[in-house]
């Protein structure tokens, strides 16, 4: 049986031949000692396909200074390190799962009720049973799984040895269930488990909940989450289960809830490997901490007490003193703590090796403004590298204070305060090791308090500030090693005219977002190393060309969510970016752009990412042919219905060298015949998402675009049928019709050729006669016009003409009487019309003469139109009828003819001929 046949066979559980475990067929194929070469190749293929399906799309650069943060804030948190195993491990589609257990409608042997097609999704790593309404732990999962998610279910009890069949587990998530109590053997057999989440249950911190020995088998556990088990309406006398936790000698990270007057018991000393203690993730209402509250957790290096409702007036100043190994302290969002009270406690551990301090929003937002004084700065740990002090109502800094900051301080985040321009700006250069400085303001709103807010119990009067009286030009002096300056939400309201910085700086990223800077005049000078400039959400309406004149090193520019629609629509000088020759990323999204100049990006040959989403553009006529590094073009949420041929051809050229991503999702793409070439190109191009998620179709007869669900397959089939090219059929039909009409016309022309000729020359002579003002004579000019072949001229001039002339007939002979210089045909028609009769001398030479044939037909046409007999035939030679044409036979049968006597011709013959010619 093949591998896939084995998977789908539904074979019953049996012992593994090699290891004797009751795993059924899945063990046979996934134990390392039994996987063959073919199996390994298949597994590698599935993993590669899996990663391709779950890969996230390219995103535009994040406008933040955090990318410059080389210091990791979670190094000591084992829960974060092992928590990298998350939902994406179970995102494989059903047909790509290596193992899929379909559980039928009804109850299994464990009492779980399952809905059809909602199984635990498993693969060779583990099983995901999230949110299936399970009341008990499933017992029929593959026994060799290492990861198991049972969160968001209704499990209330964990019986003894419930996980004994899953002894290979190293990750177990039981959060968001109904657990209220554990049993001694709830986790038996899990010696390899190193990550356990019991959060968001109802496991109260009392002895009955955690029986002794419940964690005894978890000898490898490094992360334990017990947070969000206490609720705000519970006021029981809680105690941490330190006797039970004492068995977890390898525990490194512990998440707990906080309660009033908490004390970490003596058995916490046994947790020698404990590094991270986090009380911020759940329900924390500590209010006060005694001097000895933290005495037994001296080994920890990271403590998070944010959002624990600490009260500054009852906080013991020596509370942190036992934490001799502390490196990371987070005390944020304790709004009643107060800067002064916390600094008193922090001063006691100033000489500890603390590198990270987070103290955001510990001052009441209703407090009066504070000045950062020397006392505050001197309380900071001397080893500090990373400092966050946002939202603490700071307004200014006393002179000389910046020089007292810890010498190794590298990252300063003091946004959401109330800073105003002061003398301290001239002292920024003293922060020689600072790489990131965030002075961003606060984008928050205050709620009306339900009760009278507490404020600081002291009053801090502003320190005296010197008045600036200088005629020197304004030059902003930056710290020499500063890499990122964040000034978002600082309330800047300026016409951004010339702005100069000291040239001896290392600034790479400048953030002006969410201010009000409608007119960018510039230039910005003194930033020779600037790589990123963000002016998003600042109401920018107009940009002068000189704005970026001195920013030739810039690689990323963001003008997102500004007001540039009129600028790009009416600006006659589109080369506003011409100085940015090194630009690689540009964001013009959310500007309500309706059109943009074709050459707006001229000279920006290094552009890689262009973001123009969420605009109102109907056409994209921007030239990108100069961009050979382009890899992302985001045109989503616009009004575009197609792309020009030039753009498509350039994208195809780029795809031969590297990958390109084009995003046109949520745009009303025209699904009509005139746009079928674009649709076919789009659906076949590697630049687009193959599934076309969130792509739309604007049909010809519908006012609203609709989302497609089949990657345009049905639409293209319909358009192929509807828009089939009938040009060849049209040409064939047209040609056939033309040929048919031509044949009919030709037949008619041939049928009436002589009549048409006659009418033509008759009309010609009539016009000519009118031009000469000659009146029509009532009498014929000639009695007879002799039609003969030139070779018979001897007979005509030697016998026929003299005999007829002798009998008083007026004879017209073409060789003698035709007008010189006139058309032959005109002379013939004139002779026929002016002669009473036309005598045709029929010989074999006559049959071979074209003009003789013409003379005979013109005479016949004269007879038809005038109604008088015109033709008379003189048959001089005996010619078989087989040699005569049908026309000639017709005329011979219709008109008078005389046979010429062979031998001696008598006068009787000539007399009769003369009489016949004179008859009308």
């Amino acid at each position: 049986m093949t591998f896939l046949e084995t998977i789908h066979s539904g074979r019953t559980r049996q012992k593994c031949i090699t290891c004797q475990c009751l795993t059924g067929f899945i063990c046979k194929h996934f134990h390392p000692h039994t996987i063959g070469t073919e199996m390994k190749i298949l597994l590698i293929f599935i993993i590669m396909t899996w990663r391709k399906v779950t890969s996230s799309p390219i995103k535009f650069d994040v406008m933040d200074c955090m990318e410059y943060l080389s210091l990791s804030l979670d190094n000591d948190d084992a829960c974060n390190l092992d928590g990298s195993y998350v939902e994406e491990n179970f995102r494989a589609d059903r047909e790509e799962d290596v193992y899929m257990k379909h559980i039928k409608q009804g109850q299994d042997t464990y009492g779980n009720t399952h809905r059809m097609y909602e199984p635990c999704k498993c693969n060779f790593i583990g099983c995901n049973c999230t949110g299936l309404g399970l009341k008990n732990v499933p017992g029929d999962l593959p026994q060799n799984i290492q990861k198991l998610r049972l969160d968001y279910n209704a499990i209330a009890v964990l019986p003894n040895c419930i996980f004994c069949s899953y002894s290979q587990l190293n990750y177990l998530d039981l959060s968001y269930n109904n657990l209220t109590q554990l049993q001694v053997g709830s986790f038996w057999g899990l010696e390899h488990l190193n990550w356990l989440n019991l959060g968001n249950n109802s496991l109260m911190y009392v002895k009955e909940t955690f029986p002794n020995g419940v964690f005894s088998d978890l000898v490898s556990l490094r992360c334990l989450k017990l947070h969000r088990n206490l609720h705000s309406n519970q006021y029981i006398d809680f105690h941490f289960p330190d006797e039970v936790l004492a068995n977890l000698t390898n525990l490194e990270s512990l998440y707990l809830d906080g309660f009033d007057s908490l004390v970490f018991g003596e058995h916490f000393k046994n947790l020698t490997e404990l590094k991270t203690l986090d009380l911020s993730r759940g329900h924390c209402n500590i209010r006060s901490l005694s001097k000895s509250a933290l005495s037994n957790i001296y080994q920890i290096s990271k403590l998070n007490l944010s959002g624990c409702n600490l009260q500054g007036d009852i906080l013991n100043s020596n509370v942190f003193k036992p934490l001799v190994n502390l490196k990371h302290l987070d005390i944020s969002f304790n709004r009643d703590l107060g800067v002064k009270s916390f600094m008193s406690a922090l001063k006691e551990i100033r000489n500890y090796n603390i590198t990270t301090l987070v103290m955001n929003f510990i001052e009441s937002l209703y407090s009066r403004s504070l000045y950062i004084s020397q006392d505050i700065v001197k309380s900071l740990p001397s080893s500090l590298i990373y400092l966050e002090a946002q939202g603490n109502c700071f307004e200014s800094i006393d002179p000389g204070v910046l020089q007292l900051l810890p010498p190794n301080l590298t990252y300063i985040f003091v946004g959401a305060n109330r800073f105003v321009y002061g003398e301290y700006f001239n002292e920024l250069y003293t922060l020689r090791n600072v790489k990131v400085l965030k002075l961003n303001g606060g984008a928050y709103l205050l709620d009306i308090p339900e009760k009278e807010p507490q404020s600081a119990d002291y009053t801090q009067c502003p320190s005296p500030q010197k008045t600036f009286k200088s005629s020197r030009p304004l030059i902003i002096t930056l710290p020499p090693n500063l890499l990122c300056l964040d000034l978002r939400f600082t309330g800047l309201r300026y016409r951004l005219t010339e702005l100069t910085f000291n040239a001896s700086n290392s600034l790479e990223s400048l953030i002006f977002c969410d201010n009000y800077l409608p007119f960018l005049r510039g230039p910005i000078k003194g930033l020779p190393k600037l790589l990123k400039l963000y002016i998003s959400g600042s109401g920018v309406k107009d940009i002068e060309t000189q704005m970026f004149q001195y920013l030739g090193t810039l690689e990323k520019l963001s003008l997102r969510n500004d007001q540039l629609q009129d600028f790009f629509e009416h600006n006659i000088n589109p080369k506003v970016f011409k100085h940015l020759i090194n630009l690689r990323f540009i964001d013009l999204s959310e500007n309500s752009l309706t059109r943009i100049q074709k050459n707006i990006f001229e000279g920006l040959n290094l552009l890689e990412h262009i973001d123009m989403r969420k605009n109102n553009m109907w056409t994209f006529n921007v030239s990108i042919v100069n961009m050979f590094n382009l890899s992302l073009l985001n045109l989503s949420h616009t009004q575009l219905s197609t792309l020009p041929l030039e753009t498509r051809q350039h994208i195809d050229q780029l795809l031969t060298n590297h990958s390109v991503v084009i995003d046109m999702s949520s745009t009303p793409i025209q699904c009509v015949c005139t746009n079928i070439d674009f649709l076919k190109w789009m659906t076949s191009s590697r630049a687009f998402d193959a599934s076309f998620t969130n792509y739309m179709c604007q049909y010809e007869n519908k006012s609203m675009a609709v989302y497609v669900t089949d990657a345009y397959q049905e639409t293209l089939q319909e358009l192929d049928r509807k828009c089939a090219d009938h040009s060849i059929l049209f040409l064939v039909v047209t040609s056939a019709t033309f040929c048919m009409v031509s044949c009919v016309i030709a037949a008619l022309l041939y049928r009436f050729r002589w009549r048409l000729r006659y009418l033509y020359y008759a009309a010609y002579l009539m016009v000519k006669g009118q031009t000469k003002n000659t009146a029509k004579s009532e009498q014929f000019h000639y009695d007879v016009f002799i039609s003969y072949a030139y070779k018979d001229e001897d007979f005509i001039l030697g016998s026929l003409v003299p005999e007829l002339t002798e009998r008083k007939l007026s004879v017209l002979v073409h060789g003698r009487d035709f007008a010189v210089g006139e058309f032959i045909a005109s002379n013939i028609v004139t002779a026929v019309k002016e002669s009473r009769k036309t005598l045709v001398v029929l010989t074999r030479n006559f049959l071979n003469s074209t003009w003789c044939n013409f003379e005979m037909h013109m005479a016949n046409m004269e007879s038809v139109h005038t109604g008088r007999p015109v033709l008379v035939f003189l048959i001089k030679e005996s010619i078989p009828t087989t040699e005569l044409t049908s026309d000639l036979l017709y005329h011979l049968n219709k008109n008078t003819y005389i046979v010429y006597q062979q031998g001696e011709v008598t006068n009787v013959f000539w007399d009769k001929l003369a009489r016949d010619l004179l008859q009308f």
Side-chain angles (χ1 to χ4, degrees):
M1 183 177 289
T2 65
F3 169 69
L4 292 178
E5 290 173 341
T6 305
I7 286 182
H8 294 290
S9 65
R11 185 182 298 180
T12 57
R13 293 164 58 81
Q14 56 184 346
K15 284 188 178 182
C16 176
I17 297 175
T18 305
C19 64
Q20 302 299 311
C21 64
L22 289 171
T23 59
F25 70 87
I26 204 72
C27 172
K28 176 172 104 172
H29 295 281
F30 286 92
H31 270 269
H33 51 255
T34 61
I35 297 180
T37 304
E38 181 180 358
M39 183 63 61
K40 292 179 181 178
I41 295 174
L42 180 58
L43 291 180
I44 292 172
F45 171 79
I46 293 175
I47 294 172
M48 294 176 65
T49 306
W50 195 354
R51 290 184 176 179
K52 180 178 180 181
V53 171
T54 60
S55 61
S56 57
I58 299 176
K59 296 182 179 179
F60 202 76
D61 185 58
V62 179
M63 295 176 289
D64 206 326
C65 292
M66 297 304 292
E67 60 182 300
Y68 295 97
L69 184 61
S70 59
L71 175 68
S72 176
L73 304 181
D74 295 317
N75 276 341
D76 295 331
D77 194 343
C79 291
N80 283 336
L81 295 175
D82 285 72
S84 59
Y85 176 80
V86 288
E87 175 66 19
E88 56 261 23
N89 287 322
F90 295 113
R91 287 182 184 168
D93 293 334
R94 293 182 186 271
E95 59 270 19
E96 292 174 342
D97 284 348
V98 177
Y99 169 68
M100 178 64 68
K101 177 74 173 176
H102 289 280
I103 304 176
K104 297 182 179 179
Q105 181 76 31
Q107 289 190 343
D108 60 14
T109 56
Y110 300 92
N112 295 323
T113 299
H114 302 280
R115 294 183 297 273
M116 187 68 75
Y117 306 119
E118 290 193 6
C120 296
K121 293 196 297 184
C122 300
N123 54 43
F124 54 89
I125 297 176
C127 290
N128 184 1
C129 303
T130 299
L132 299 181
L134 302 178
K135 295 182 179 179
N136 296 283
V137 177
D140 53 355
L141 301 175
Q143 293 187 1
N144 60 337
I145 57 173
Q146 300 177 24
K147 316 289 182 181
L148 178 57
R149 288 193 58 174
L150 291 167
D151 49 319
Y152 291 96
N153 283 295
I155 300 173
V157 179
L158 296 177
N160 290 333
C161 209
I162 189 64
F163 295 108
C164 288
S165 298
Y166 310 127
S167 59
Q168 302 300 315
L169 282 179
N170 57 48
Y171 177 103
L172 177 59
D173 191 346
L174 287 162
S175 61
Y176 294 95
N177 277 284
N178 298 330
L179 296 174
T180 58
Q181 188 176 358
L182 300 177
Q183 298 184 17
V184 176
S186 293
F187 303 108
W188 282 351
L190 298 181
E191 290 86 358
H192 299 289
L193 193 69
N194 57 48
W195 201 98
L196 175 61
N197 189 352
L198 294 170
N200 289 278
N201 283 284
S202 297
L203 298 170
M204 294 186 293
Y205 297 169
V206 294
K207 186 174 182 180
E208 293 77 9
T209 305
F210 301 93
N212 287 332
V214 65
F215 295 139
S216 59
D217 277 17
L218 306 182
V219 294
S220 301
L221 196 68
R222 298 174 58 213
C223 167
L224 176 60
K225 295 185 177 184
L226 289 171
H227 63 293
R228 288 190 176 274
N229 277 285
L230 306 184
H231 304 290
S232 58
N233 58 351
Q234 296 173 330
Y235 299 96
I236 304 175
D237 186 16
F238 295 124
H239 295 280
F240 289 126
D242 55 313
E243 293 184 16
V244 177
L245 295 174
N247 294 318
L248 305 175
T249 54
N250 287 311
L251 191 66
E252 298 179 13
S253 297
L254 178 61
Y255 290 9
L256 296 170
D257 290 330
F259 48 88
D260 195 16
S261 302
L262 64 80
V263 174
F264 292 91
E266 183 177 353
H267 292 89
F268 273 96
K269 292 180 180 180
N270 295 337
L271 305 179
T272 56
E273 298 299 322
L274 187 64
K275 295 181 176 63
T276 298
L277 179 61
D278 195 330
L279 279 72
S280 70
R281 310 275 176 152
H283 303 288
C284 189
N285 186 22
I286 298 177
R287 299 186 72 249
S288 65
L289 286 172
S290 64
K291 179 179 179 180
S292 60
L294 308 179
S295 297
N296 295 318
I297 55 171
Y298 56 85
Q299 68 273 32
I300 67 171
S301 60
K302 179 179 180 180
L303 176 62
N304 193 335
L305 295 173
S306 62
C308 286
N309 197 27
L310 294 172
Q311 306 291 311
D313 54 346
I314 55 177
L315 182 72
N316 191 291
S317 60
N318 293 313
V319 65
F320 300 117
K321 205 165 185 178
L323 306 179
V324 293
N325 294 303
L326 193 64
K327 295 182 179 179
H328 183 125
L329 177 60
D330 191 342
I331 204 77
S332 301
F333 298 101
N334 290 285
R335 299 183 187 277
D336 294 325
L337 179 59
V339 173
K340 182 179 180 181
S341 298
F342 176 64
M343 287 302 167
S344 297
L346 190 64
K347 188 175 182 179
E348 300 299 323
I349 58 173
R350 183 180 184 277
N351 295 321
Y352 289 5
N353 191 27
I354 298 176
T355 57
T356 301
L357 176 61
V358 184
M359 47 178 287
N360 300 325
F361 297 96
I362 63 172
E363 189 70 36
S364 172
L365 293 176
Y366 303 96
S367 173
R368 66 189 65 188
S369 297
L370 303 179
Y371 280 69
I372 300 178
S373 62
Q374 292 188 13
D375 291 338
I376 293 177
V377 173
K378 287 181 179 179
S379 299
L380 296 174
S382 57
S383 57
L384 200 62
I385 297 175
Y386 181 96
L387 172 62
E388 283 192 33
Q390 304 185 76
N392 289 317
C393 305
F394 295 132
E395 181 178 293
S396 188
I397 304 174
D398 284 344
V401 169
L402 292 180
Q403 302 178 36
L404 302 177
L405 287 170
N408 294 322
L409 191 60
T410 306
Y411 309 97
I412 303 177
F413 293 6
V414 286
N417 283 292
R418 306 172 184 172
F419 285 109
V420 296
Y421 186 80
E423 186 179 357
Y424 64 91
F425 265 79
N426 292 329
E427 299 178 3
L428 290 177
Y429 71 93
T430 61
L431 305 175
R432 297 194 174 277
N433 290 317
V434 173
K435 294 182 179 179
V436 175
L437 178 58
K438 294 186 70 173
L439 294 171
N440 55 297
Y444 54 85
L445 296 175
L446 299 180
D447 294 328
I448 297 177
E450 297 180 359
K451 57 183 180 179
E452 185 177 348
Q454 297 184 18
S455 60
D457 59 353
Y458 62 93
T459 302
Q460 181 174 358
C461 297
S463 301
Q465 299 289 313
K466 293 182 180 180
T467 303
F468 293 103
K469 294 183 179 179
S470 174
S471 59
R472 293 179 300 174
L474 176 63
I475 299 178
I476 300 176
T477 304
L478 298 176
N481 294 308
L482 185 66
L483 298 177
C484 182
L485 178 60
D486 190 342
L487 296 171
R488 78 181 75 197
F489 285 113
T490 50
L492 298 176
R493 300 178 63 87
Y494 292 101
R495 294 182 182 88
L496 196 56
T497 53
E498 183 173 334
L499 183 62
T500 305
F501 296 86
N502 61 310
S504 58
N505 68 77
S506 303
L507 192 67
E508 294 183 0
S509 183
L510 179 58
I511 303 175
F512 278 126
C513 300
D514 301 300
N515 290 287
Y516 186 63
L517 308 169
F519 304 105
L520 304 184
R521 301 285 187 251
I524 297 178
K525 299 180 179 180
L527 297 176
K529 298 181 180 180
L530 191 68
L531 300 177
K532 304 170 186 177
L533 177 61
Y534 304 105
I535 320 180
S536 298
S538 294
V540 178
K541 297 179 181 179
D542 187 69
I543 308 174
E544 295 286 346
T545 305
Q546 64 184 12
M547 173 67 188
F548 307 114
Q549 182 177 353
Y550 300 101
L551 300 180
T553 58
L554 202 65
E555 295 182 358
K556 300 180 181 180
L557 174 63
S558 177
L559 293 166
R560 177 175 58 84
N561 193 24
D562 283 313
Q563 301 175 22
L564 291 168
Q565 62 271 25
D566 291 336
F567 172 76
F568 282 112
E569 185 169 355
H570 303 297
N571 184 22
I572 59 176
N573 179 20
K575 297 184 179 180
V576 65
F577 304 122
K578 66 178 182 179
H579 300 291
L580 305 179
I581 56 176
N582 288 302
L583 198 66
R584 286 172 167 78
F585 300 78
I586 187 166
D587 188 351
L588 295 173
S589 61
E590 302 180 53
N591 271 284
S592 300
L593 302 180
T594 54
R595 64 181 299 271
I596 192 167
Q597 289 82 1
K598 180 179 179 66
N599 299 322
I600 189 67
F601 299 136
E602 183 178 349
L604 308 186
N605 300 335
L606 301 180
L607 267 181
E608 299 175 10
H609 289 198
I610 302 176
D611 193 343
M612 302 186 73
R613 56 194 163 93
K614 295 186 179 180
N615 283 299
N616 297 326
M617 296 182 298
W618 292 86
T619 58
F620 183 78
N621 60 344
V622 180
S623 176
I624 62 171
V625 295
N626 59 310
M627 306 173 195
F628 292 98
N629 296 322
L630 187 66
S631 59
L632 173 62
L633 178 59
N634 194 338
L635 300 171
S636 61
H637 295 87
T638 62
Q639 298 300 317
L640 294 176
S641 60
T642 186
L643 289 178
L645 180 61
E646 180 186 51
T647 302
R648 285 181 261 162
Q649 291 174 340
H650 185 65
I651 292 172
D652 290 339
Q653 182 181 357
L654 294 177
L655 286 170
T656 60
N657 299 318
H658 61 271
S659 62
V660 181
V661 175
I662 309 296
D663 189 351
M664 292 185 69
S665 59
S666 297
T667 64
I669 296 175
Q670 292 288 329
C671 295
V672 295
C673 293
T674 55
N675 203 34
I676 191 172
D677 289 341
F678 170 74
L679 287 172
K680 289 183 177 180
W681 172 81
M682 180 180 68
T683 53
S684 62
S685 175
R686 292 184 288 110
F688 291 85
D689 174 18
S691 64
F692 289 96
T693 305
N694 294 326
Y695 272 68
M696 304 178 73
C697 216
Q698 178 71 60
Y699 294 101
E700 193 169 14
N701 298 326
K702 294 185 179 180
S703 58
M704 297 292 292
V706 295
Y707 286 99
V708 297
T709 58
D710 61 348
Y712 292 96
Q713 295 304 314
E714 184 178 348
T715 299
L716 281 174
Q717 291 175 5
E718 178 65 19
L719 288 177
D720 282 336
R721 181 190 63 80
K722 179 181 177 181
C723 311
D725 187 3
H726 300 294
S727 58
I728 296 178
L729 179 61
F730 175 78
L731 289 175
V732 171
V733 173
T734 303
S735 300
T737 304
F738 177 78
C739 292
M740 186 181 298
V741 172
S742 299
C743 291
V744 172
I745 293 174
L748 292 174
L749 290 175
Y750 182 79
R751 174 66 178 82
F752 299 104
R753 63 191 182 281
W754 299 112
R755 180 175 295 183
L756 293 174
R757 288 184 178 184
Y758 171 79
L759 292 175
Y760 168 75
Y761 288 109
Y764 169 77
L765 293 174
M766 185 181 295
V767 172
K768 184 177 179 181
Q770 291 174 353
T771 305
K772 295 180 179 180
N773 295 320
T774 58
K776 182 178 178 180
S777 175
E778 294 296 336
Q779 302 295 326
F780 293 106
H781 293 175
Y782 300 94
D783 292 317
V784 61
F785 164 54
I786 300 176
S787 175
Y788 64 95
Y790 176 75
K791 293 182 179 181
D792 298 326
E793 191 172 25
D794 291 342
F795 167 72
I796 300 302
L797 297 180
S799 299
L800 182 58
V801 173
E803 291 294 340
L804 295 178
T805 303
E806 183 179 345
R807 289 166 175 77
K808 308 300 181 180
L809 271 69
S810 175
V811 181
L812 189 152
V813 180
H814 66 258
R816 183 187 65 188
D817 299 316
F818 274 8
V820 179
E822 186 62 83
F823 293 114
I824 296 175
S826 298
N827 277 324
I828 292 172
V829 173
T830 300
V832 171
K833 292 179 71 66
E834 292 183 352
S835 300
R836 188 186 308 275
K837 298 287 185 178
T838 297
L839 178 61
V840 176
V841 181
L842 184 58
T843 64
R844 280 186 170 82
N845 293 327
F846 182 93
L847 296 178
N848 297 326
S849 173
T850 302
W851 284 115
C852 288
N853 193 40
F854 182 79
E855 291 170 347
M856 178 185 68
H857 282 94
M858 290 300 101
N860 181 64
M861 288 299 103
E862 174 70 12
S863 176
V864 171
H865 281 273
T866 61
R868 65 186 180 89
V870 175
L871 275 173
V872 176
F873 287 88
L874 173 59
I875 302 177
K876 185 176 184 298
E877 297 179 2
S878 179
I879 303 173
T881 57
T882 56
E883 297 182 18
L884 302 178
T885 64
S886 58
D887 287 344
L888 187 56
L889 286 173
Y890 171 78
H891 293 312
L892 285 173
N893 293 328
K894 185 180 177 183
N895 297 281
T896 303
Y897 65 87
I898 299 175
V899 178
Y900 184 75
Q901 296 180 356
Q902 300 298 325
E904 184 179 356
V905 182
T906 64
N907 290 330
V908 176
F909 172 79
W910 295 117
D911 291 341
K912 182 178 184 337
L913 177 60
R915 286 196 305 270
D916 290 342
L917 293 176
L918 291 174
Q919 289 180 359
F920 191 79

